[in-house]
Amino acid sequence: MIKLNIILLFVFGSYFCNAQGIDNLWLLGYYSSQPSPFGPSTMDFKNGSPLIYRDTARTMNFDFLETSMSDSTGNILFYTNGVYIVDKTNQTMVNGNGINPSSSTT
């Protein structure tokens, strides 16, 4: 009985976790000062179907990785490319610089 409860917890627990909206925004692309079809884009899944749009305010390059965090309604809180972290206004957060200095960041 305990094993069944654990299995049910994982199955239904993951369903409720995905329904919270924290992964509704996907930040994509590479920032360039030149016009590019691969510039900073956002895929927004808040309404179910993806809405894709350019985010010209974002100047962070996503060469190797990107991680973002949103609130429960899907609004962006902060994001990082593994080198520095910025808040929703695209400003570097306190102690958000140089979190992973390496040869790939220069």
Side-chain angles (χ1 to χ4, degrees), residues 27-28 31 39-42 53-59 76 79 90:
L27 306 181
L28 310 165
Y31 173 76
S41 302
T42 299
Y53 58 89
R54 299 275 314 249
D55 186 356
T56 56
R58 185 166 21 105
T59 60
I76 195 79
Y79 58 94
N90 301 308

Side-chain angles (χ1 to χ4, degrees), residues 20-25 44 46 70-77:
Q20 293 179 4
I22 58 173
D23 57 352
N24 282 346
L25 291 178
D44 187 343
K46 288 181 193 175
S70 300
D71 62 16
S72 61
T73 59
N75 298 311
I76 195 79
L77 295 174

Side-chain angles (χ1 to χ4, degrees), residues 8-37:
L8 290 174
L9 175 69
F10 280 112
V11 170
F12 290 109
S14 63
Y15 172 76
F16 292 116
C17 288
N18 287 334
Q20 293 179 4
I22 58 173
D23 57 352
N24 282 346
L25 291 178
W26 296 7
L27 306 181
L28 310 165
Y30 182 83
Y31 173 76
S32 174
S33 59
Q34 304 298 319
S36 167

